[in-house]
Amino acid sequence: MGAKLSGLGSALYDSKRREFLGRDGAGWGKLGTFYFFFYLGLAGFFCAMLAVFMLLSPRDAPRYYSESSRMATRSNPLTPGLGFRPQPDVEKSLIYVTKTGVTSEPNPYAQSLDQYLSVFYPERALQAKKVKAENDDDDDDDDDDDDKKQQAQDDRPQMQPFRIRNAGDCTSENKYGYETGKPCVLVKMNKIVGFQPEAGASSDDKAAYKATGCVNKDGAAAIHCSGEYAADIDSIGNITYFSEDGTSDKCGVLAKNRFPYEGKVARRDVYQAPYIWVQLTNPKPNTLINVLCRAYGKNIYFDKKAGRAITRFQIYVEDLSKRNTGKKSRKNGDM
């Protein structure tokens, strides 16, 4: 046992030759120097290739987009999806509304909408302050050129701040109708670089589009919401749509001049995607309602199974007064 330990110790360090793991100090120095310059050269090569990649890559939009990208295939035509807010929990699509009447207490769904709108739809003055502050802190010539580019492109219609002037109850002051049991849901179309929706409906959706009664003459795309199943259609009640161009009880319209999305401007995401407000004015209380919203356009292709051109969410309006009334009625009937 002692001989084995002695042999192991000699293998680690040979005191006669003054070697550690078979190499003396000079050997370890040469090996360390070699690998230092080897990895230094490897890191330099990686940084050089990354710099070439960044130099050749477009800064404001992907190189391949729209029909030239992998988003469009022979079996899957290019079609945008839809999204909705509020969604405090991104993993849940249920909007649980408690009808409490007007109170001073904060509402989580109203807070979620306020936060979303403040981040993605800031006021013009706040944008100008932010850009000015960034310009004052950075004197780089490239940034100066970017600022000029941004100012030149900000005059395009789709680059103007988005705002729905007549939003009814769908405002922060009214807490978006969540206290009165008339919830407002923000529905928007996902951004695709270079995509220009066309008013109307695809050949497969003409009958469904006609059934909605939507009138979309000057808009680019129409959005219509309804109950997903027969029971939901009976429970959803009336729906009011608030768009940039006005109010309707048939559908919401996204204006043509808000498209196409052309990517960032001078590396700043100044584009504000258009949206509509969908207000359920009298949903059946104490009932879970599955809501399906879909977009219509000549170049928008609906596929419920694949989730193209649609978004889904659930609404539950809790009305304790009606629930208690129902319990009393059943109790009196039993007596």
Side-chain angles (χ1 to χ4, degrees):
M1 187 66 180
K4 291 182 179 179
L5 291 176
S6 177
L8 179 60
S10 299
L12 291 174
Y13 179 72
D14 189 346
S15 59
K16 295 180 179 180
R17 298 182 178 180
R18 296 185 178 181
E19 293 178 348
F20 177 71
L21 294 177
R23 295 181 183 274
D24 58 8
W28 280 112
K30 293 177 181 178
L31 186 65
T33 302
F34 169 77
Y35 277 108
F36 172 77
F37 286 104
F38 173 76
Y39 284 113
L40 186 64
L42 193 63
F45 178 77
F46 173 78
C47 292
M49 293 298 100
L50 185 62
V52 171
F53 173 77
M54 296 298 292
L55 183 64
L56 298 178
S57 298
R59 295 185 300 176
D60 298 329
R63 184 177 299 278
Y64 301 103
Y65 57 86
S66 191
E67 297 292 343
S68 62
S69 70
R70 291 294 298 169
M71 295 179 67
T73 63
R74 185 176 300 176
S75 58
N76 297 317
L78 182 69
T79 296
L82 297 180
F84 77 93
R85 290 293 186 278
Q87 202 173 9
D89 188 342
V90 295
E91 296 182 354
K92 296 180 180 179
S93 59
L94 173 64
I95 300 176
Y96 195 99
V97 183
T98 302
K99 189 175 180 180
T100 58
V102 179
T103 65
S104 59
E105 296 295 324
N107 183 281
Y109 293 103
Q111 287 180 327
S112 177
L113 282 169
D114 283 337
Q115 182 180 14
Y116 177 79
L117 292 171
S118 65
V119 172
F120 294 99
Y121 299 89
E123 294 295 331
R124 187 71 171 180
L126 295 178
Q127 276 190 321
K129 281 185 180 180
K130 184 177 179 182
V131 171
K132 186 178 184 302
E134 290 177 356
N135 293 342
D136 291 341
D137 293 338
D138 194 348
D139 296 326
D140 194 326
D141 293 340
D142 291 338
D143 287 345
D144 292 339
D145 294 339
D146 291 342
D147 294 336
K148 293 178 182 178
K149 179 181 177 183
Q150 179 180 351
Q151 292 173 1
Q153 297 190 16
D154 271 355
D155 294 335
R156 293 175 299 171
Q158 66 265 39
M159 287 302 174
Q160 300 303 313
F162 181 82
R163 181 184 177 188
I164 297 178
R165 298 187 180 279
N166 179 21
D169 293 334
C170 303
T171 61
S172 180
E173 293 76 13
N174 296 320
K175 294 187 179 179
Y176 307 99
Y178 282 91
E179 291 183 337
T180 57
K182 300 178 180 180
C184 296
V185 180
L186 184 153
V187 180
K188 69 179 185 67
M189 183 180 292
N190 296 338
K191 296 181 292 187
I192 297 181
V193 177
F195 182 75
Q196 176 68 60
E198 299 177 8
S202 63
S203 57
D204 296 334
D205 288 339
K206 286 184 177 180
Y209 179 66
K210 186 177 181 180
T212 65
C214 182
V215 178
N216 180 17
K217 295 181 179 179
D218 301 325
I223 297 177
H224 176 79
C225 299
S226 64
E228 186 168 3
Y229 305 105
D232 302 315
I233 294 175
D234 295 335
S235 303
I236 198 170
N238 297 324
I239 299 176
T240 302
Y241 302 88
F242 298 96
S243 308
E244 188 179 20
D245 295 337
T247 305
S248 172
D249 60 351
K250 302 297 183 182
C251 68
V253 178
L254 303 179
K256 183 186 297 184
N257 61 2
R258 291 291 174 181
F259 297 93
Y261 170 60
E262 297 179 352
K264 297 181 179 181
V265 177
R267 291 177 289 182
R268 295 188 179 95
D269 197 2
V270 298
Y271 177 80
Q272 296 183 358
Y275 61 84
I276 65 168
W277 287 111
V278 178
Q279 184 179 26
L280 281 65
T281 55
N282 58 339
K284 186 176 181 180
N286 307 316
T287 303
L288 182 65
I289 304 173
N290 297 285
V291 183
L292 186 147
C293 297
R294 56 177 295 188
Y296 291 93
K298 288 185 178 179
N299 55 345
I300 297 177
Y301 304 95
F302 168 73
D303 190 329
K304 186 176 181 180
K305 186 176 180 180
R308 288 201 298 267
I310 66 169
T311 188
R312 293 184 177 94
F313 56 90
Q314 291 81 40
I315 287 278
Y316 187 90
V317 179
E318 183 183 37
D319 191 339
L320 296 178
S321 61
K322 291 191 176 182
R323 177 178 290 180
N324 294 333
T325 302
K327 287 182 179 180
K328 290 180 180 180
S329 300
R330 288 195 297 271
K331 187 175 181 180
N332 294 333
D334 294 339
M335 292 177 62

